[in-house]
Amino acid sequence: MKNPYMPKKYTIIDIQHQTDIDYTFRVACDIKPKNGQFVEVSIPKIGEAPISISDFGDGYIDMTIRRVGKVTNYLHGLKPGDAMYLRGPYGNGFSLEQYKNKHLVIAAGGTGLAPVKSIINYFHRNPEEIQKLDLLIGFKSPKDILFREEIEEWMKNKKFHVTVTVDKGDESWTGNVGLITQFVPKIDIPDEDNLEVIIVGPPLMMKFTGLEFLQRKIKEEQIWVSFERKMSCGIGKCGHCKIDETYVCLEGPVFHYTKAKQLID
């Protein structure tokens, strides 16, 4: 019988430094994920951590990893050609078919941009499959901005309307300052029935951004969120990610707002 906890060894083929503490690792592998899924990354004798898949293609996946603890500290010391161990993918992910030919709004806060980046890139490459895409992207400060080059490319897409904002600017920042919630009322929504909304970020950001869309008479069934939680086993056995009777690693991390609003720790 196959051991579901047994990871497989893969090779790092590229590392991009996004910020001082956020690196994107491209790993050569045969994992074929869905948008929004995650993997468990492990290093022998060090530990294991759940990491969102920020993009993927034929023969590789990307993971944008923030240095926040023992495992991620070790990973940030690796270089191309080194190995890491992965198992997965886990979770239900987003369904691209749900968003095709729709007006899609994606609101992402901080590292919450990583789980939805593959969706954005898909519609960037296939603009004929989307009616319109509004991006609200928020970061704590200018130095915390992720995927700068890709954001610049998204801004050139005629189907996209991209708003980048920071909680607190500096003397070099000439862009928007303020929370994502401030920009929700400014989105042009000509047809409410053809709208889908994705919100990913810290819990408070998701809560109040969701409330802003509800204020605009958007139905709960049109809003999707993704929970960033500590997934330990990834297969619904350990209970680390459990909220009431819901195992986030199995039923999530992507939820309809109708379900997500009930998931309170």
Side-chain angles (χ1 to χ4, degrees), residues 4-229:
Y5 296 101
M6 183 64 68
K8 187 175 178 181
K9 183 178 180 181
Y10 296 104
T11 301
I12 300 167
I13 55 179
D14 186 50
I15 302 174
Q16 292 186 351
H17 293 198
Q18 304 288 343
T19 70
D20 291 342
I21 59 171
D22 299 285
Y23 294 0
T24 296
F25 294 78
R26 176 160 292 185
V27 178
C29 70
D30 53 2
I31 293 174
K32 299 186 184 300
K34 296 178 182 178
N35 302 279
Q37 287 188 303
F38 69 97
V39 291
E40 292 283 350
V41 180
S42 60
I43 299 295
K45 300 182 181 180
I46 301 296
E48 187 175 58
I51 303 294
S52 296
I53 298 170
S54 55
D55 214 341
F56 55 91
D58 188 19
Y60 74 89
I61 64 169
D62 289 348
M63 296 168 289
T64 301
I65 301 175
R66 171 161 289 183
R67 189 172 69 244
V68 293
K70 184 169 65 172
V71 176
T72 52
N73 285 344
Y74 187 93
L75 291 171
H76 275 224
L78 299 178
K79 58 186 183 299
D82 289 340
M84 64 171 65
Y85 292 77
L86 308 178
R87 60 183 178 90
Y90 299 117
N92 59 359
F94 296 97
S95 171
L96 279 179
E97 296 300 319
Q98 182 75 32
Y99 312 119
K100 288 182 179 180
N101 303 311
K102 298 286 187 68
H103 176 188
L104 177 62
V105 177
I106 297 178
T111 55
L113 181 56
V116 294
K117 188 167 81 77
S118 60
I119 299 175
I120 300 168
N121 278 335
Y122 176 85
F123 288 119
H124 181 58
R125 294 189 299 266
N126 303 278
E128 72 282 357
E129 296 188 27
I130 194 81
Q131 184 184 93
K132 178 184 176 184
L133 201 158
D134 278 278
L135 294 178
L136 301 180
I137 309 171
F139 299 97
K140 287 184 178 180
S141 71
K143 68 181 180 63
D144 296 306
I145 295 175
L146 304 174
F147 315 122
R148 291 174 183 268
E149 293 182 2
E150 284 171 291
I151 290 174
E152 290 178 6
E153 290 301 312
W154 298 339
M155 288 180 171
K156 299 175 185 177
N157 192 313
K158 294 181 179 179
K159 290 284 188 78
F160 286 24
H161 184 269
V162 182
T163 299
V164 178
T165 185
V166 298
D167 296 349
K168 186 178 181 180
D170 56 30
E171 56 187 22
S172 66
W173 178 251
T174 59
N176 298 301
V177 177
L179 301 177
I180 282 179
T181 49
Q182 297 174 223
F183 298 91
V184 173
K186 300 179 181 180
I187 299 173
D188 181 27
I189 305 176
D191 182 3
E192 295 174 356
D193 293 332
N194 200 45
L195 184 73
E196 296 286 344
V197 178
I198 297 173
I199 306 171
V200 189
L204 284 177
M205 171 266 174
M206 291 197 296
K207 174 183 177 179
F208 287 105
T209 303
L211 290 174
E212 285 292 329
F213 281 105
L214 294 178
Q215 287 286 335
R216 297 205 60 181
K217 310 302 181 184
I218 305 306
K219 298 174 184 176
E220 293 181 352
E221 294 81 3
Q222 295 171 272
I223 302 174
W224 307 75
V225 301
S226 180
F227 279 48
E228 294 184 308
R229 288 181 65 80

